Amino acid sequence: MSNINVPELFGSYLFNDAVMKDRLPMDVYMSLKNTIDYGEPLDTSIADTVAKAMKEWAISLGATHYTHWFQPLNNGTAEKHDSFVNGTKDGEVLMEFSGKELLRAESDASSFPSGGLRNTSCARGYTAWDCTSPAFVKDTPDGTKVLCIPAVFTSYTGESLDNKTPLLRSMIAIDKQTKRVLKFFGKEPRKIISNNGAEQEYFLVDKKKYEKREDLELAGRTLFGAAAPKGQELDDNYYAGIKDKVLIFMSDLNDELWKYGILAKTQHNEVAPGQCELAVIYNDTNITNDNNQLVMETIMKVAARHGLACLLHEKPFKGINGSGKHNNWSLSTSDGENLLNPTKDPENNLQFQVFIAAILAAVDNNAELLRASAASVGNEHRLGAQEAPPAIISIYLGERLESMVDQIIKKGKAKSFTKTRVYDSGVATLPTFTVDATDRNRTSPFAFTGNKFEFRMVGSSQPCAKPATVLNTIVADELCKVADKFEKAKDFEKAAKQYVRKTFKEHRRILFDGDGYSDEWVEEAARRGLPNIKHMVDCVQYINNEKSVELFKRMNVLSKVELDARAIIDYEGYAKAINIEALVMVDMVNKELLPAILKYEGTLAKEAADISANGIDPKVQKGIIQDIELKVDELKKATDALSKKLEKAPQYMDDVKKWAYYYKEVVFDAFDSVRLPADQLEDMVAKNAWPIPTYEELLFEIGDER
Ligand code: ADP
Ligand code: MG
């Protein structure tokens, strides 16, 4: 609750720089700091000292346990708690935590998705400390506390089994290649940082109603539900005044996040009823990824405390906007320079032009891979659905930079931009201000927004690590080619100008400033030869095709074996998720919807008989019963057909790709034939006879009793 002292609360559960400075001997602190800030190799001889300090700090906050906190390939997080407790011969208890325990822990890797890298008979895996993301203490309302140590997860044979390792490797790649290019501009910063600011969208629904929906609980989205009479057509939820219940939840959420040192900044109602957004101030791509995992977990937990349930699914409701996660990406130096800052005169800023050109080339050359980094089972419902960017990758630069690109293509140079527009309302009491040089384009998947690119395709439940890894890697790879060129050139400036012009020319096709939601764009993109990969399952092949294998190998980010495993995990993940959805549908029809509808029919029939007994023809009842009977028949047949399709699925299991396509093309394709009659029946049956909360109740009644 917020009569809270924010500066005092902020970071109080984080083993941050101030705590380390305070609790570590100066030489240990300096050594660790060099590793954290500048990527110097970790000196493992300091581990015992750090572990002791970490343990004492955590115990001072009330922690009894510690865990390596890691991110397996199920896209969530994992933790196994060990207490600090150790016994002595005399029966006393010691609170211990060694450097060895800090550095690594062992775990069973076969129970996490491994894409065939581990099986039950060869199961060993390790987690290892990532000191570049600070440890933190997680707590519960009753004061139970656990020290969480961010860690990577690897197999016994050394392959990465997580989303963090490739991200860290991609950060090294972009650090190295950016430095090579910057040297030519006379700059030698100690470190290059790839930044990410994540905006998180989510839905809140009443927890009691949520618990009455098997589909929400098990599949994360509604598989049934007739549209409510009102949706989002009045545009009355975006930025709308926040309901007290939600605001109290948000306030509690902020307090929790601030404790972890997470810079929770912006909160507002989103477009759809019941939908909210939280934006956190940007940090390096590794910390943002960790923080965002913690944000997602904390939203869920805090919501539950307030009688709410948080839906992180990309498309919880049909016909209503889904949720995304905007990843704002940029590059900066340890000297504080943002390499994507256009400065006052981008038209004459060769360094800025080189970086923009490299990003254009990287995105255009690797559009499939970037698209794949935002592919997930849930996100496929959202992309291209008049609410989120289409599945086509394009870049929006804004009027000014696009004109700069076109001038350079045409003439080899661009004129400085002098036009500034001042807002003047004509009301003297109102402020005047200079209007931004570029407008916003909400429909672009990859939009330049002043000094960063906003990747808007990513789904709300996805980890930030995947898109960040791909962005870092593809841009690093292009910068590597640029550096190679510059290093060979006699006249660097000439080479740089040539590179910029040639690249702008070759990749002009990726720029688009129009309406990305329109059908015309789909046609235009096809004419330009831009890929339009509509579905997650179709994306998987781009994860481990030859081009990707070579790219990730060149940049030392992922090996072929690691990429193959990820492709397998994606195919399997899709099949399993659709299997669950299908089973939930069948379950809900047979155990909830049909019994309720039939009971209602029975009531009508009884009423009709009563009316007949009085000599009146029950015309209306008979008509309704007949209509219901027809739909019930349709629903039952479609449900049985879906069950049959599910029964056949295991025969494709040996080939994960075929298995996934069976689920996409046969099982998922049958969903509508079940949902449509069910939703029509919902509209035919009396409100109090319908067994599960409706869209109206879920979207508009937060916290009301049913
Ligand atoms: P918008 O609604 O315009 O998208 P928000 O304020 O909701 O803007 O979110 C912007 C996000 O971009 C925040 O997370 C912010 O910290 C982040 N951001 C700002 N500057 C940078 C930058 N240079 N690099 C990366 N992210 C940035
Ligand atoms: Mg945004």
Side-chain angles (χ1 to χ4, degrees), residues 433-468:
F433 54 85
T434 312
V435 175
D436 287 297
T438 58
D439 201 352
R440 272 171 181 253
N441 185 324
R442 275 182 51 90
T443 69
S444 174
F446 201 74
F448 189 72
T449 49
N451 59 3
K452 61 191 191 292
F453 281 97
E454 184 173 357
F455 187 30
R456 304 180 61 251
M457 209 180 237
V458 185
S460 48
S461 71
Q462 292 182 275
C464 298
K466 277 190 188 171

Side-chain angles (χ1 to χ4, degrees), residues 140-431:
T140 62
D142 84 331
T144 303
K145 295 191 178 72
V146 180
L147 168 65
C148 295
I149 300 156
V152 296
F153 183 39
T154 167
S155 75
Y156 180 64
T157 41
E159 285 92 14
S160 146
L161 288 174
D162 68 346
N163 289 321
K164 189 191 258 281
T165 312
L167 175 59
L168 291 172
R169 291 180 187 149
S170 76
M171 290 165 76
I172 295 173
I174 200 142
D175 170 71
K176 184 171 159 196
Q177 304 306 336
T178 307
K179 277 181 187 158
R180 285 178 64 206
V181 172
L182 276 183
K183 231 181 197 164
F184 290 91
F185 293 95
K187 294 173 188 171
E188 297 195 37
R190 274 191 79 177
K191 195 174 170 197
I192 303 299
I193 304 133
S194 60
N195 301 296
N196 190 8
E199 300 163 50
Q200 177 72 49
E201 292 178 348
Y202 59 94
F203 278 86
L204 290 174
V205 297
D206 176 58
K207 190 161 177 285
K208 290 210 178 86
K209 295 185 181 103
Y210 168 90
E211 282 162 357
K212 287 189 184 135
R213 298 273 321 206
E214 186 180 335
D215 47 3
L216 283 181
E217 277 197 317
L218 299 186
R221 70 178 182 111
T222 56
L223 296 163
F224 298 101
K230 177 178 187 272
Q232 61 192 50
E233 59 275 62
L234 297 181
D235 294 327
D236 56 356
N237 199 61
Y238 192 56
Y239 285 14
I242 300 169
K243 285 180 185 162
D244 284 353
K245 188 174 174 95
V246 175
L247 193 53
I248 295 167
F249 148 80
M250 285 177 168
S251 160
D252 209 3
L253 172 65
N254 288 330
D255 291 352
E256 289 297 318
L257 297 177
W258 289 335
K259 269 196 230 166
Y260 299 134
I262 296 176
L263 290 155
K265 176 80 175 167
T266 308
Q267 62 197 24
H268 60 82
N269 275 323
E270 254 300 330
V271 170
Q275 193 184 26
C276 309
E277 178 177 306
L278 168 70
V280 168
I281 294 179
Y282 72 99
N283 211 318
D284 77 41
T285 41
N286 180 38
I287 291 185
T288 289
N289 176 51
D290 285 0
N291 283 350
N292 182 254
Q293 288 285 2
L294 210 46
V295 165
M296 292 194 282
E297 182 183 313
T298 311
I299 296 179
M300 309 276 274
K301 276 191 187 171
V302 176
R305 277 185 226 161
H306 291 262
L308 298 165
C310 164
L311 311 178
L312 287 173
H313 195 283
E314 284 77 10
K315 191 78 176 178
F317 301 100
K318 187 178 169 181
I320 297 284
N321 269 20
S323 299
K325 178 176 297 177
H326 298 171
N327 281 251
N328 295 270
W329 181 88
S330 71
L331 280 179
S332 61
T333 72
S334 47
D335 299 329
E337 182 182 358
N338 176 358
L339 301 174
L340 300 188
N341 177 3
T343 61
K344 283 217 164 72
D345 193 14
E347 292 81 3
N348 287 300
N349 185 338
L350 187 57
Q351 180 192 305
F352 174 72
Q353 290 168 12
V354 165
F355 280 97
I356 291 294
I359 291 168
L360 255 55
V363 171
D364 191 22
N365 287 334
N366 300 285
E368 294 92 348
L369 195 59
L370 196 56
R371 160 70 179 96
S373 78
S376 75
V377 184
N379 212 20
E380 303 315 301
H381 298 285
R382 177 183 160 257
L383 296 182
Q386 298 302 312
E387 60 183 70
I392 308 159
I393 296 274
S394 67
I395 299 181
Y396 172 80
L397 278 185
E399 197 188 334
R400 178 175 180 178
L401 292 184
E402 202 167 303
S403 151
M404 175 191 87
V405 168
D406 286 335
Q407 291 177 60
I408 290 176
I409 291 174
K410 229 174 167 176
K411 298 177 243 156
K413 57 179 195 259
K415 261 203 212 129
S416 291
F417 189 88
T418 45
K419 213 172 47 179
T420 49
R421 198 159 54 82
V422 172
Y423 168 79
D424 187 350
S425 62
V427 179
T429 51
L430 291 175

